Amino acid sequence: MRLTIFDIENWKEIGATLARNKTRTFLTGFGIFWGTAMLAILLGGARGAKDMLMRNFDGFATNSGAVFAGRTSEPYKGHQKGRWWDLDVTDVKRIQENFPEFETVTEQLSSGNGRFESQKYSYSGTVMGVSPDFAKVMTPVIFNGRFINNADMSLDRKVAVIGKKVANELYPDNHNPIGEKMKINGVYYNIVGVAGQNSEVNMNGRVDESVLISATAFRRAFHRGDNVDVIMFVAKDGYKISDLKSRLRHVIYTRHAISPTDEGAMWIFDISESFEMVNNLFRGVSLLAMFIGMSTLLAGIIGIGNIMWVIVKERTQEIGIRRAIGAKPRDIIVQILSEGMMLTSVAGVAGICFAALVLGVTQVLTTNEVGTPHFQMNLWQAATIMATFIILGTMAGMIPSIKAMRIKPIEALNDK
């Protein structure tokens, strides 16, 4: 026996039935279309917005942090409040010795008064003094050459890694200036690399707009002694920087005679807190998007139930005649449910396609040199949305279909 659901003539009849009242069918289908599109756009949009925000931290180790010296806000051991103080190399060593929880501890120095000169051009920007471990905290993008290495530090070499923007300004006609010599504040350095960064976050300057030299060369060139501007670190797996802040302050404050309760004297920047905050934020955004989308969908599903109810009411006599000539209750149920499923499926697929188009355009418009945010649903999400809509659409048509099945032929023929 041929099942009604696979009967081509049955589907033609369904199309004809839905076409009898085009306005009603369109409005009901539009409710499903809009509910599907809204849910897909909100879910895909939340993912893309998260990617846009997370690319601000691209390249940084997710469990990294840094400390910056500030200004004391409390008097302590004869020192007045408002005292400026500096981090130094000894602080770096003390953190390395007292914090086995850190896999990397490194220093950074910087000066915004750098003047860079090639044979033809000049440019002003930031000079950074770094060690090779800088790349373990924030991974630079190496366009040409290499980064600062241990030999540069130990041998005190006059070598430089220049930012991409600096390279474009100093060597506009040379796409690979490796081996060229440049002046930094009148002193010649050999260029060994061209680098940049994806992250929008910077530690005393962006790599793209800076020139990086070894920390040892920086101290000599800028007469900085043992001072450092920033101490950067990466915690091992299983450890949180937030749990180590009080110990960090104790270890550093003890050397510099700073009050243990003076939290303002040193700023501790914790990247992991920012990552966690973003994750929590967009977890809430995703739930809100799901709620709004499902609410919109529910309105469309109710519309499906209403139109099926009206169709059953309008076709009472027709259904009675079908029953009188031998149609089984199952045939009547499949007929009514098929109409709801067809309307839900067509409108749902259209909504998914529309959402994919909108998300695709948004992704193209928000793409830049830093990265491409993923304003898209994955296949699993799209399939889940469609399956949910079809199931709910079928359920919405269940009560009208049961009512249609219970219509008695004699009552239907007498119905006016």
Side-chain angles (χ1 to χ4, degrees), residues 41-56:
I41 289 173
L42 287 171
L43 290 177
R47 180 186 177 190
K50 180 180 179 180
D51 285 350
M52 287 184 65
L53 191 55
M54 292 298 285
R55 73 184 181 186
N56 291 329

Side-chain angles (χ1 to χ4, degrees), residues 164-223:
K164 184 67 173 177
K165 184 175 181 180
V166 178
N168 292 337
E169 293 289 337
L170 296 183
Y171 304 96
D173 302 322
N174 186 353
H175 298 295
N176 186 10
I178 304 302
E180 297 283 346
K181 290 188 178 296
M182 64 174 293
K183 284 184 180 180
I184 303 177
N185 291 356
V187 178
Y188 280 103
Y189 286 78
N190 189 45
I191 299 174
V192 296
V194 177
Q197 71 178 70
N198 289 332
S199 172
E200 296 295 335
V201 178
N202 67 78
M203 295 291 185
N204 289 339
R206 288 184 57 82
V207 173
D208 309 72
E209 302 169 359
S210 306
V211 171
L212 286 72
I213 60 178
S214 69
T216 51
F218 185 97
R219 288 196 185 88
R220 185 185 68 254
F222 290 88
H223 310 291

